[in-house]
């Protein structure tokens, strides 16, 4: 990093970065100290790397584990893991964490859940921290004003062994979102609109700071949703400066500072924002009042349109390359150009994931489902992001709303977001999903994914089609 | 890690933008142990057609590319999931370099740590190269890491940049962890001043 930034106005990224730099290498990479390392049931290969070199985790107290990718969601019983390789992955996590003295939220622990839901919920993800996990959606935790990013298995091994990581400082991009969100429009719609606008590589090589009045007005859950999908715009990290909303969410969480420590921490966290005059390498401005509920029609998250639109025509694409990509996407999705998006019938609904598996998401979906029934022929699931989200929803009676309407009320896990636990969408089936990736084969070979907000997924469940939730809200 | 020096090999084109790691290796193979040959799962879904038989039009299924060690792909290759398995699948299949106009950030750093060299060349050069490889299947490309140049089948040479430390590790076949472990003293000193 250049010295000028030490003296002039600094960005939030500069502040976090400088505080964690152990040393700088001639080639411009810095060795960063890592405050928090989350591991899950896909981390086994990293422990293999350690074992092969006779190394042990350096700072187990900074490391926390949860089982999410391979856990069954119809049962909490290990015997329900019906595949030996999946069971091996969960058992490996339990064993590796146990041997190293790493605290772990395993199957059966009420706190178990998706790593990016559990970390925030436990107060493990705090402002100013560096946070890593072998999962690209680690960007989620940036919503607290932390530098949080996904890493590969080799890097996990490096962090386990040294509690540090070599990094080159990314470029810093600011996304300013201003204005009031219209009725029926949520954080998910904002981030889908952003990705449709800048593209899936729009933030490549950058970390994003989200700011503006829309962001300031968002709940912590909404901010987590936005930061979560930063990686879908190609940005490895997304950060939001902490404020009263952040502090209110964190206060009293099990691993958040308590008492006098809490006061000290908050005082320090108040300094975690980009100084006036700090320089960003790029800035994008979005008008929130112009955003409509969004839905994807293709096979990358940038293939998103307002729900009142139509399936676009590849012939109208700006470049031959885009024409070809769109043609391929529509063929896979089984959609014809010009079809009204609201005419597209769906087979499955998945409400859950680290993007939209939090309590506020379930409340929004339940509000739409209330007093309605899942459409004939549609199989609809709610998979809470954690055991605690599930318990909270049950305390509020949301589970009954869903079950009465014909939804399946499942246990916490990644589930149908990427289907590694066996919860899949069948080939050719069309799924309205609150997850983050509509990639080819993501929810199972041949599965067709439409990304949308929880309220929109609920609307799709009760109508059997992609539907504009605003109309259901007006009637309801 | 295997040393990477100079490589002359058949290049296989993947004419697709935003090729994500879910495609490079579908998630259902992440549960396999690293001792498996992940090359068997490389592009598992697209290598087979809808009916489960190999689709002959795909370069992966054409004999001309059987000995390929270099992939040439379009923009934003390896975007999406951080799964290192995507790199292992390419590596185990025999690939040692990927040439593209841009990469997913995490994929690129995972590659460098596993002996797979990601090379960024200008978009027009890559587009031309892919067209050439499709027209003349089995053509070779030369990658010279110490010199940081790529020589295309038409004889043109192109310089590329690579992180100096990553280059040092690749050329000498050493990994970063060994280097960082040598800095244990510095890390411990930082931890003492950092507090908890
Ligand atoms: S919910 Fe989906 S995106 Fe999130 S961690 Fe699990 S698999 Fe990854």
């Amino acid at each position: 990093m250049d010295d000028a930034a030490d003296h002039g106005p600094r960005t939030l990224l500069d502040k976090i970065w400088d505080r964690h730099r152990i040393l700088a290498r001639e080639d411009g990479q810095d060795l960063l100290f890592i405050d928090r390392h989350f591991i899950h049931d896909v981390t086994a290969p990293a422990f293999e790397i350690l074992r092969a070199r006779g190394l042990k985790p350096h700072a187990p107290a900074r490391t926390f584990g949860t089982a999410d990718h391979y856990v069954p969601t119809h049962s909490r019983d290990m015997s329900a893991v019906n595949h030996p390789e999946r069971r091996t992955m969960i058992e490996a996590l339990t064993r590796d964490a146990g041997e190293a003295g790493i605290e772990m939220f395993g199957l059966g622990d009420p706190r178990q859940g998706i790593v990016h839901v559990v970390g925030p919920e436990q107060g493990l993800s705090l402002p100013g921290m560096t946070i890593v996990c072998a999962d690209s959606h680690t960007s989620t935790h940036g919503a607290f004003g932390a530098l949080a990013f996904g890493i590969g298995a080799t890097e996990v091994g490096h962090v386990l062994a040294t509690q540090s990581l070599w990094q080159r400082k990314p470029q810093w991009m600011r996304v300013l979102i201003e204005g009031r969100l219209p009725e029926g429009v949520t954080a998910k719609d904002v981030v889908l609109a952003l990705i449709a606008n800048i593209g899936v590589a729009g933030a490549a090589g950058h970390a994003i700071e989200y700011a503006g009045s829309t962001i300031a007005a968002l709940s912590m859950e909404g901010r987590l949703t936005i930061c979560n999908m930063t990686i879908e715009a190609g940005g490895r990290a997304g950060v939001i400066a902490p404020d009263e909303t952040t502090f209110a969410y964190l206060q009293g969480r099990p691993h958040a500072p308590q008492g006098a420590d809490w006061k000290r921490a908050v005082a320090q966290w108040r300094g975690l924002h980009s100084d006036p005059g700090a320089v960003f390498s790029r800035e994008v401005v979005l008008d929130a009042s112009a955003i409509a509920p969004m839905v994807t029609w293709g096979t990358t998250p940038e293939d998103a349109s307002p729900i009142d639109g139509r399936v676009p025509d590849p012939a109208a694409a700006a470049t031959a390359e885009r024409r070809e990509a769109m043609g391929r996407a529509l063929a896979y999705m089984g959609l014809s150009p010009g079809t009204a998006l609201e005419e597209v019938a769906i087979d499955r609904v998945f409400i859950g994931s680290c993007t939209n598996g939090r309590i506020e998401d379930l409340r929004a979906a339940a509000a739409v489902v209330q007093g309605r029934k899942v459409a004939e022929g549609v199989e609809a699931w709610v998979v809470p992001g954690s055991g605690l989200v599930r318990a909270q929803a049950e305390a509020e009676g949301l589970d009954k709303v869903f079950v009465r309407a014909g939804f399946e009320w499942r246990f916490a896990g990644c589930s149908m977001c990427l289907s590694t636990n066996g919860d899949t969408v069948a080939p050719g089936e069309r799924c309205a999903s609150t997850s983050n990736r509509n990639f080819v084969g993501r929810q199972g070979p041949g599965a067709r994914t439409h990304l949308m907000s929880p309220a929109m997924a609920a609307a799709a469940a009760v109508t059997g089609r992609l539907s504009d939730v605003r109309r259901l809200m007006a009637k309801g | 890690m295997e040393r990477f020096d100079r490589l002359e090999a058949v290049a296989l084109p993947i004419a697709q933008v935003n090729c994500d790691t879910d495609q490079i290796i579908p998630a259902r193979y992440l549960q396999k142990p690293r001792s498996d040959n992940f090359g068997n799962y490389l592009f598992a879904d697209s290598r087979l057609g809808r009916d489960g038989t190999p689709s002959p039009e795909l370069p992966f299924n054409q004999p001309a590319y059987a000995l390929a060690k270099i992939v040439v792909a379009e923009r934003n290759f390896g975007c999406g999931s951080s799964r290192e398995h995507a790199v292992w699948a390419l590596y185990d299949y025999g690939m040692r370099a990927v040439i593209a106009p841009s990469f997913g950030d995490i994929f690129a750093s995972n590659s460098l740590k596993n002996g797979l060299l990601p090379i960024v060349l200008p978009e027009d050069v890559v587009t031309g190269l892919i067209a050439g490889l499709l027209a003349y299947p089995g053509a070779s490309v030369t990658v010279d890491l110490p010199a940081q140049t790529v020589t295309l089948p038409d004889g043109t040479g192109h310089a590329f940049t690579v992180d100096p430390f990553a280059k040092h590790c690749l050329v000498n076949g050493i990994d970063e962890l060994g280097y960082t472990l040598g800095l244990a003293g510095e890390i411990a000193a930082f931890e003492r001043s950092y507090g908890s």
Side-chain angles (χ1 to χ4, degrees), chain A residues 18-23 25 27 29 31 33 35 42 45 48-50 53 55 58-59 62 69-70 83 85-86 89 128-130 133-136 149-155 157-158 161-168 200-201 203-206 231-232 234-236 299-300 302 321-322 324-325 328 331-332 418-420 437 439-442 444-446 448, chain B residues 1 14-24 26-36 38 41 45-46 50 74-77 79-85 88 101-110 112-114 123 127 162-167 169 174-196:
Chain A
D18 294 351
R19 168 107 176 91
H20 292 87
R21 193 198 299 107
I22 300 170
L23 50 93
R25 206 163 58 194
D27 64 352
Q29 292 213 38
L31 186 64
F33 185 70
D35 292 307
V42 198
E48 278 178 43
I49 294 173
L50 244 62
R53 306 174 75 126
L55 296 168
H58 175 77
R62 294 187 175 279
H69 285 68
Y70 291 104
H83 194 292
E85 286 172 346
R86 291 178 196 146
M89 295 301 267
M129 278 185 163
T130 47
C133 173
D135 192 290
S136 58
F149 54 94
I151 57 177
T154 302
E155 290 174 313
H158 192 282
T162 67
Q163 204 57 32
S164 69
L165 201 58
W166 291 101
Q167 288 290 302
R168 185 179 298 279
V200 290
H206 289 72
I231 185 69
E232 309 315 331
R236 208 164 167 180
T299 53
T300 75
E302 75 180 35
E321 175 197 275
R322 179 72 181 142
E324 204 181 299
R328 211 180 4 234
Y332 179 81
L418 95 165
S419 302
T420 41
R437 289 189 172 137
F439 294 161
V440 167
R442 174 81 176 178
R448 294 162 170 165
Chain B
M1 204 160 72
I14 299 178
Q16 191 200 328
V17 291
N18 300 324
C19 181
D20 56 75
T21 53
D22 274 76
Q23 286 179 64
I24 298 172
R28 61 183 180 281
Y29 299 108
L30 305 189
Q31 65 204 42
K32 302 282 179 192
R34 181 64 190 101
S35 51
D36 258 36
F38 279 92
Y41 317 130
D45 287 339
S46 48
R50 284 273 153 88
E74 295 196 66
R75 199 159 19 84
N76 203 24
F77 185 78
C79 61
S81 154
S82 61
R83 63 189 69 160
E84 203 153 311
H85 310 67
W88 299 337
S102 61
F103 292 94
D105 290 347
I106 307 179
F107 175 85
S109 68
N110 285 343
L112 286 170
K113 294 178 161 81
N114 285 276
E123 186 138 23
T127 308
V162 57
D163 196 275
F165 184 77
K167 175 179 172 180
C169 288
I174 56 173
D175 73 5
E176 205 165 52
L177 179 53
Y179 175 79
T180 313
L181 287 168
L183 299 169
E186 279 88 341
I187 296 173
F190 177 91
E191 283 179 302
R192 275 193 299 276
S193 68
Y194 183 75
S196 56

Side-chain angles (χ1 to χ4, degrees), chain A residues 69 114 116 135 137 353-354 414 417-418 436 442:
Chain A
H69 285 68
I114 306 169
H116 312 308
D135 192 290
H137 292 102
S353 87
C354 59
C414 294
C417 173
L418 95 165
N436 41 53
R442 174 81 176 178

Side-chain angles (χ1 to χ4, degrees), chain B residues 46-124:
Chain B
S46 48
R47 265 158 78 183
L48 299 178
R50 284 273 153 88
D51 56 355
T53 56
S55 28
E57 68 278 11
L58 268 175
F60 276 105
N61 297 327
Q62 293 175 14
Y65 300 108
L67 296 175
K69 287 182 185 295
I70 299 170
V71 169
V72 183
E74 295 196 66
R75 199 159 19 84
N76 203 24
F77 185 78
C79 61
S81 154
S82 61
R83 63 189 69 160
E84 203 153 311
H85 310 67
V87 174
W88 299 337
L90 286 161
Y91 189 91
D92 289 0
Y93 190 89
M95 300 302 177
R96 293 296 178 267
V98 188
I99 299 172
S102 61
F103 292 94
D105 290 347
I106 307 179
F107 175 85
S109 68
N110 285 343
S111 295
L112 286 170
K113 294 178 161 81
N114 285 276
L116 181 72
L117 177 64
I119 299 171
V120 173
L121 289 185
E123 186 138 23
D124 56 329

Side-chain angles (χ1 to χ4, degrees), chain A residues 166-228:
Chain A
W166 291 101
Q167 288 290 302
R168 185 179 298 279
K169 201 181 206 176
Q171 296 205 289
W172 195 226
M173 166 173 172
R174 180 156 64 177
V175 174
L176 268 178
I177 310 174
E178 301 284 1
R180 250 179 77 106
L181 286 177
E183 197 64 17
V185 178
T186 66
K188 181 64 161 288
D189 303 300
V190 171
V191 73
L192 283 173
L194 172 70
I195 298 164
N197 185 302
I198 67 173
V200 290
H206 289 72
I208 297 181
E209 178 172 350
Y210 297 97
S213 59
T214 316
I215 298 293
L218 277 180
S219 66
M220 213 51 234
E221 279 89 345
R223 295 176 187 187
L224 287 159
T225 300
I226 296 213
C227 288
N228 173 276

Side-chain angles (χ1 to χ4, degrees), chain A residues 365-409:
Chain A
V368 174
V369 168
Q370 179 85 53
R372 295 187 166 101
K373 286 264 180 254
V374 171
E376 187 78 20
V378 172
E379 186 177 335
W381 289 16
V382 181
V383 184
S386 73
L388 294 182
V389 169
R390 183 179 146 102
Q392 175 65 30
E394 288 177 352
E396 296 178 20
L398 305 183
D399 58 321
K400 299 219 172 53
V401 174
F402 288 120
V403 170
R404 230 181 284 129
F407 276 83
E408 271 197 44
W409 178 245

